[in-house]
Coordinates of all heavy atoms in Angstrom, one line a residue:
N1263 N 3.3 -0.6 -8.1 CA 3.5 0.4 -7.1 C 3.6 1.8 -7.8 O 4.5 2.0 -8.6 CB 4.8 0.1 -6.4 CG 5.2 1.1 -5.3 OD1 4.5 2.1 -5.1 ND2 6.3 0.9 -4.6
Y1264 N 2.7 2.7 -7.4 CA 2.7 4.0 -8.1 C 3.4 5.0 -7.2 O 3.3 6.2 -7.5 CB 1.2 4.4 -8.3 CG 0.6 3.6 -9.4 CD1 -0.3 2.5 -9.0 CD2 0.8 3.8 -10.7 CE1 -0.9 1.7 -10.0 CE2 0.2 3.0 -11.7 CZ -0.7 2.0 -11.3 OH -1.2 1.3 -12.3
S1265 N 4.1 4.6 -6.2 CA 4.7 5.6 -5.4 C 6.2 5.9 -5.8 O 7.0 6.4 -5.0 CB 4.7 5.2 -3.9 OG 5.4 4.0 -3.8
L1268 N 8.0 10.5 -10.7 CA 7.4 10.7 -12.0 C 8.6 10.7 -13.0 O 9.5 11.5 -12.8 CB 6.6 11.9 -12.1 CG 5.2 11.9 -11.5 CD1 4.5 13.2 -11.7 CD2 4.4 10.8 -12.1
V1273 N 5.0 7.8 -16.9 CA 3.8 8.4 -17.3 C 3.3 7.8 -18.6 O 2.0 7.6 -18.7 CB 4.0 10.0 -17.4 CG1 2.8 10.6 -18.0 CG2 4.4 10.6 -16.1
E1278 N -0.8 4.2 -21.3 CA -1.1 3.0 -22.0 C -2.1 2.1 -21.1 O -3.0 1.5 -21.6 CB 0.1 2.1 -22.3 CG 1.0 2.8 -23.4 CD 0.3 2.9 -24.7 OE1 -0.5 2.0 -25.1 OE2 0.6 3.9 -25.4
L1281 N -5.5 3.8 -21.6 CA -6.1 3.5 -22.9 C -6.6 2.1 -22.9 O -7.7 1.8 -23.4 CB -5.1 3.7 -24.0 CG -4.7 5.1 -24.3 CD1 -3.7 5.2 -25.4 CD2 -5.9 6.0 -24.6
A1282 N -5.9 1.1 -22.3 CA -6.3 -0.3 -22.2 C -7.6 -0.4 -21.4 O -8.6 -1.1 -21.8 CB -5.2 -1.2 -21.6
D1288 N -12.9 -1.2 -18.4 CA -12.5 -1.8 -17.2 C -12.7 -0.8 -16.1 O -11.8 0.0 -15.8 CB -11.0 -2.2 -17.3 CG -10.5 -2.9 -16.0 OD1 -11.1 -2.8 -14.9 OD2 -9.5 -3.6 -16.1
L1295 N -7.1 4.7 -11.9 CA -6.3 5.7 -12.6 C -6.8 7.1 -12.6 O -6.1 8.0 -13.0 CB -6.2 5.2 -14.1 CG -5.4 3.9 -14.3 CD1 -5.6 3.3 -15.6 CD2 -3.9 4.2 -14.1
N1306 N -17.9 18.2 -26.9 CA -19.1 19.1 -27.0 C -19.1 20.2 -25.9 O -20.0 21.0 -25.9 CB -20.4 18.3 -26.9 CG -20.7 17.7 -25.5 OD1 -19.9 18.0 -24.5 ND2 -21.7 17.0 -25.4
I1310 N -17.2 16.6 -17.5 CA -17.7 15.4 -16.8 C -16.7 15.1 -15.6 O -15.6 15.6 -15.6 CB -17.7 14.2 -17.8 CG1 -16.3 13.9 -18.3 CG2 -18.7 14.4 -18.9 CD1 -16.2 12.6 -19.1
L1316 N -17.2 6.7 -15.1 CA -17.3 5.3 -14.7 C -18.8 4.8 -14.9 O -18.9 3.7 -15.4 CB -17.0 5.2 -13.2 CG -15.6 5.5 -12.8 CD1 -15.4 5.3 -11.2 CD2 -14.6 4.7 -13.5
V1326 N -15.5 1.2 -27.4 CA -14.3 1.6 -28.1 C -13.9 0.6 -29.0 O -13.6 -0.6 -28.6 CB -13.1 2.0 -27.1 CG1 -11.9 2.3 -27.8 CG2 -13.5 3.1 -26.1
Q1328 N -11.4 1.4 -31.6 CA -10.0 1.8 -31.9 C -9.6 3.0 -31.1 O -10.4 4.0 -31.0 CB -9.9 2.1 -33.4 CG -8.5 2.5 -33.7 CD -8.4 3.0 -35.2 OE1 -9.3 2.8 -36.0 NE2 -7.4 3.7 -35.5
Q1335 N 3.8 15.3 -26.3 CA 4.7 15.9 -25.2 C 4.3 15.4 -23.9 O 3.1 15.1 -23.6 CB 4.5 17.4 -25.3 CG 5.5 18.1 -24.4 CD 5.5 19.6 -24.6 OE1 5.0 20.1 -25.6 NE2 6.1 20.3 -23.7
V1354 N -18.5 4.2 -30.1 CA -19.7 4.8 -29.8 C -19.6 5.4 -28.4 O -19.1 4.8 -27.5 CB -20.9 3.8 -29.9 CG1 -22.2 4.4 -29.5 CG2 -21.0 3.1 -31.2
L1356 N -22.2 7.5 -25.7 CA -23.5 8.0 -25.3 C -24.4 7.9 -26.5 O -25.1 8.8 -26.9 CB -23.4 9.4 -24.8 CG -22.5 9.6 -23.6 CD1 -22.4 11.0 -23.2 CD2 -22.9 8.7 -22.4
E1358 N -23.8 7.9 -29.6 CA -23.4 8.6 -30.8 C -22.2 8.0 -31.3 O -21.2 7.8 -30.6 CB -23.2 10.1 -30.5 CG -24.5 10.8 -30.2 CD -24.3 12.3 -30.1 OE1 -23.4 12.8 -30.8 OE2 -25.0 13.0 -29.4
I1360 N -18.7 7.9 -32.9 CA -17.5 8.9 -33.0 C -16.4 8.2 -33.8 O -16.2 7.0 -33.8 CB -17.0 9.2 -31.6 CG1 -16.6 8.0 -30.8 CG2 -18.0 10.1 -30.9 CD1 -15.8 8.3 -29.6
Y1364 N -8.7 13.2 -32.3 CA -9.0 14.1 -31.1 C -7.7 14.4 -30.4 O -6.9 13.5 -30.2 CB -10.0 13.4 -30.2 CG -11.3 13.2 -30.8 CD1 -11.6 12.1 -31.6 CD2 -12.3 14.1 -30.6 CE1 -12.8 11.9 -32.1 CE2 -13.6 13.9 -31.2 CZ -13.8 12.8 -31.9 OH -15.1 12.6 -32.5
C1377 N -0.4 7.7 -8.9 CA -0.5 8.8 -9.9 C -1.8 8.6 -10.6 O -2.1 7.5 -11.1 CB 0.7 8.6 -10.9 SG 0.9 10.1 -11.9

Side-chain angles (χ1 to χ4, degrees):
N1263 180 359
Y1264 292 99
S1265 60
L1268 285 179
V1273 172
E1278 291 298 322
L1281 293 179
D1288 184 340
L1295 292 164
N1306 71 4
I1310 63 169
L1316 296 180
V1326 178
Q1328 175 189 347
Q1335 187 171 345
V1354 177
L1356 303 176
E1358 288 190 33
I1360 57 170
Y1364 294 84
C1377 194

